[in-house]
Amino acid sequence: MSDRVPSFVEVVVVHGMGHQRSSETLLEWAEPLIERIQWLAGAAAENQVTFGRVKADSSDEDEYVSGRVLYTDLEGGERDLAFGIREARWADAFLPMKPSQVFSWGVDFLWHTTLRLGTYFARVLRLGAWQLAELRRPPTPPAMRAILLLPLVLTFALAWLAVGVMWVLVIAISLLVAALLPALSILLIFPIFQNLLQRIVDGLVEFVGDVAVWTKRPVRAAAMRGVVRESLRKARASLDAAAADPAARTKLVVLAHSQGAAITADTLFDALNEEPLPRVDAFVSVGAAITLLGASRWPDGVRGEVVRAVNGAPRMAMVPEFNPVAAWASAPPTRWLNFWAIWDPFSAGPVSTSSAARIERWRQSYRWKVLPGLRVTEDVGVTGSACGPEEHPVHNTALPFTDHQSYSSNIPQVIDPVARLLLDLEPSSSTRTADGADVTLAAPDFDGRRAERLRNTLHVRGIKALGLHRLLVMAVAVAAVVLPAPAETIRTVATRVLAFLFAADPTTGWLGWLGRQSWLATVVIVAGVAIIGLWINARLWRYHRRKITWRRDGELAGVHWIGGLVLRAVLVAVLWWLLIVAAPGEVIPWLAIVAGLAGVALVVSPLLGLRPLVVPEHRG
């Protein structure tokens, strides 16, 4: 026991926008983190996590989870780690804005967000096409480059079509919401509408009201920062009290999501707040809405005036807009890891000091259009000149509506790196020069890093397939109704099945009436095909995800998503058949060939493309 190195880690989790129940964020992150810590420590009896104080209710005492684990680090040393996880819950630290105030603020914010998200999604779609273009360059073999030509052309065409459709949908939804917000505020004046609309209004205010307060009410925003600051102080005090041994290692980590990341960045790095803070060793931002929300500011857009001494005489000077990345780069060393999902509309990619710098770091994460002289790494992206923290692009759900809330369930790409950070189990990356020469490859770490890359690749391919399967399922459901022959066949089969089950005449009675309602048949067919297809897709993915997440490193080589490949092939085959059945006879041969080639490209497409890589920090 005396040879084990005592280590103490405190984690402060900060929630995002919207109302949060007590301990909701704490348990959302503590449970998967501790589960992964246990997996990394090993299954031996002495390595089992033991829990200390667990306080996860709404009593006066702070919510807190503590534990202890014994494990072996990368250098072969024995570690005795005591960890604690607490929650900085700022949701009740301020008086919310009135609904009318939120609505008046929301119209301007809506258009700003719409243009930003539209640009972001267009970049994501273009990037997906350019990934295949990158694969057609050496050292990809010439034969493989020729095979990739058709998927490349199809992906380019579909990407630009999707960009156009996406912009139409985003603008249409924005126009609808912009018209509804003023209408709702007016209708609430009348008692007849108040009871009907109050629940909708409360939901909108609860979701975006915190954002309005943070961006336009600096006094209340200071209360939010105060909660984070106080939690950090308690965490550091706990570390100082526990680490009586001079040889003990301590680490304070703050993990913040969405709006909580913007609040935390302002708290940690804005020197104008003049709020003394304890030393924070690592700041982990997930789905950070930093570029969307920025820092708290006065309604006129100016942060205010301060008195500065100029040649010994006081002088009023305007305070520039707060830039969290620039402030972090000049602040005392704090490691910053920024996790953002590819389809997360709120984080919208990397953070940096300018829009051009953000785009550069975006490209670095995919080794996109690598310029001569830049250092390419095996485990990380391109080291360029743009300032920014460690960028960790991840794939959560391949769905914009759920990506933002799914970071804590992404074990391979989010939970695992954070758990390794807490345990000091991060293998050193292998840095390579532009000519491919290995300069820092550590032999003992190689197997672990190779398994980590394989796990990451399997996860990315699986998420891409998951999203593609959803689109194929919906395409089959719509095609079965839009194309007349399949729709009539499905209706006939369904009618005969119902007639057999209920021993009824399919031409008379309720079954005959049901058969004459074409609109009802359309809804039933689309909903039925979609529900069954999406359910099968989700079940297959959950089974495959467990293998990717919990298989040991030596077992990953045998992990293949055969079920997903079969489902994708079946869906593509059904689409091909529906097109052939509905096509005129004179175009069937050509249509069969073109649709068949496109189907093959769709089946193999999730296996292609570059996986995102970590971009190392650069302080400029």
Side-chain angles (χ1 to χ4, degrees), residues 551-609:
R551 288 277 180 96
R552 292 294 172 180
D553 294 351
E555 303 172 343
L556 284 176
V559 174
H560 303 285
W561 195 10
I562 303 301
L565 180 63
V566 172
L567 175 63
R568 190 159 64 252
V570 168
L571 291 172
V572 168
V574 170
L575 272 177
W576 181 86
W577 176 78
L578 292 175
L579 287 173
I580 299 303
V581 169
E586 60 273 13
V587 301
I588 286 181
W590 290 106
L591 180 63
I593 295 173
V594 174
L597 292 175
V600 172
L602 285 173
V603 171
V604 302
S605 61
L607 306 178
L608 305 176

Side-chain angles (χ1 to χ4, degrees), residues 202-506:
D202 290 343
L204 287 173
V205 172
E206 181 180 291
F207 184 70
V208 301
D210 294 347
V211 178
V213 170
W214 170 251
T215 56
K216 294 298 184 181
R217 295 294 186 270
V219 176
R220 306 183 204 189
M224 301 181 189
R225 291 196 305 269
V227 173
V228 176
R229 185 176 64 254
E230 186 61 27
S231 296
L232 293 175
R233 286 176 177 170
K234 291 180 178 179
R236 177 55 69 181
S238 178
L239 287 175
D240 294 340
D245 186 347
R249 304 181 184 184
T250 64
K251 183 181 294 184
L252 175 54
V253 177
V254 55
L255 189 157
H257 175 244
S258 187
Q259 183 180 342
I263 297 171
T264 304
D266 194 318
T267 304
L268 294 178
F269 307 127
D270 192 353
L272 294 178
N273 291 329
E274 296 182 352
E275 300 164 343
L277 284 171
R279 186 186 82 255
V280 174
D281 299 289
F283 169 37
V284 179
S285 56
V286 289
I290 292 175
T291 55
L292 176 65
L293 304 181
S296 180
R297 54 194 178 273
W298 298 103
D300 60 1
V302 179
R303 287 180 62 83
E305 296 179 340
V306 297
V307 178
R308 290 180 176 170
V310 179
N311 295 328
R315 178 180 174 182
M316 300 299 292
M318 302 305 295
V319 179
E321 188 71 20
F322 172 63
N323 188 310
V325 176
W328 161 80
S330 60
T334 295
R335 185 180 175 187
W336 184 355
L337 299 83
N338 184 43
F339 293 83
W340 46 274
I342 303 302
W343 289 103
D344 182 355
F346 296 101
S347 66
V351 294
S352 191
T353 52
S354 67
S355 177
R358 291 179 60 237
I359 293 175
E360 179 183 339
R361 290 183 67 79
W362 177 285
R363 292 181 174 183
Q364 291 167 13
S365 67
Y366 280 91
R367 300 174 294 183
W368 185 22
K369 296 183 180 179
V370 178
L371 301 177
L374 294 180
R375 297 170 62 203
V376 184
T377 66
E378 183 179 354
D379 289 333
V380 297
V382 179
T383 304
S385 60
C387 180
E390 290 180 35
E391 297 292 353
H392 292 252
V394 301
H395 287 69
N396 283 345
T397 62
L399 194 64
F401 302 107
T402 57
D403 253 17
H404 188 63
Q405 301 296 334
S406 303
Y407 289 92
S408 60
S409 60
N410 187 341
I411 306 297
Q413 292 187 307
V414 180
I415 296 299
D416 185 83
V418 175
R420 291 178 184 272
L421 168 68
L422 302 182
L423 297 174
D424 284 332
L425 289 179
E426 298 173 285
S428 59
S429 61
S430 172
T431 305
R432 291 181 177 270
T433 59
D435 60 1
D438 192 352
V439 293
T440 61
L441 183 59
D445 295 339
F446 180 75
D447 290 339
R449 287 187 292 103
R450 182 169 56 191
E452 185 180 357
R453 290 195 300 273
L454 178 57
R455 196 184 305 274
N456 188 21
T457 300
L458 291 172
H459 175 82
V460 170
R461 289 177 176 175
I463 291 294
K464 287 182 177 180
L466 179 69
L468 177 60
H469 296 167
R470 293 196 196 102
L471 295 177
L472 290 175
V473 166
M474 298 309 301
V476 169
V478 173
V481 172
V482 173
L483 303 177
E488 184 60 33
T489 301
I490 294 174
R491 280 195 290 268
T492 301
V493 172
T495 302
R496 290 179 178 177
V497 170
L498 290 174
F500 173 77
L501 293 175
F502 292 96
D505 186 349

Side-chain angles (χ1 to χ4, degrees), residues 109-127 159-160 162-174 292 342-348 358 362 400:
F109 184 73
L110 172 69
W111 288 110
H112 164 70
T113 306
T114 298
L115 295 175
R116 179 178 178 273
L117 298 188
T119 304
Y120 171 69
F121 286 147
R123 189 180 303 138
V124 172
L125 293 168
R126 293 202 315 271
L127 178 61
W160 285 108
V163 168
V165 173
M166 178 272 303
W167 270 110
V168 171
L169 290 176
V170 167
I171 292 176
I173 294 173
S174 300
L292 176 65
I342 303 302
W343 289 103
D344 182 355
F346 296 101
S347 66
R358 291 179 60 237
W362 177 285

Side-chain angles (χ1 to χ4, degrees), residues 62-107:
D62 291 341
E63 294 88 350
Y64 190 74
V65 175
S66 66
R68 180 183 177 188
V69 64
L70 306 177
Y71 66 98
T72 304
D73 61 22
L74 294 178
E75 299 174 354
E78 294 294 323
R79 291 285 194 98
D80 182 358
L81 174 68
F83 62 86
I85 307 175
R86 68 182 70 236
E87 178 181 9
R89 187 168 173 268
W90 51 264
D92 297 328
F94 59 93
L95 182 67
M97 291 172 64
K98 297 178 181 179
S100 59
Q101 295 173 319
V102 175
F103 288 161
S104 62
W105 164 87
V107 174

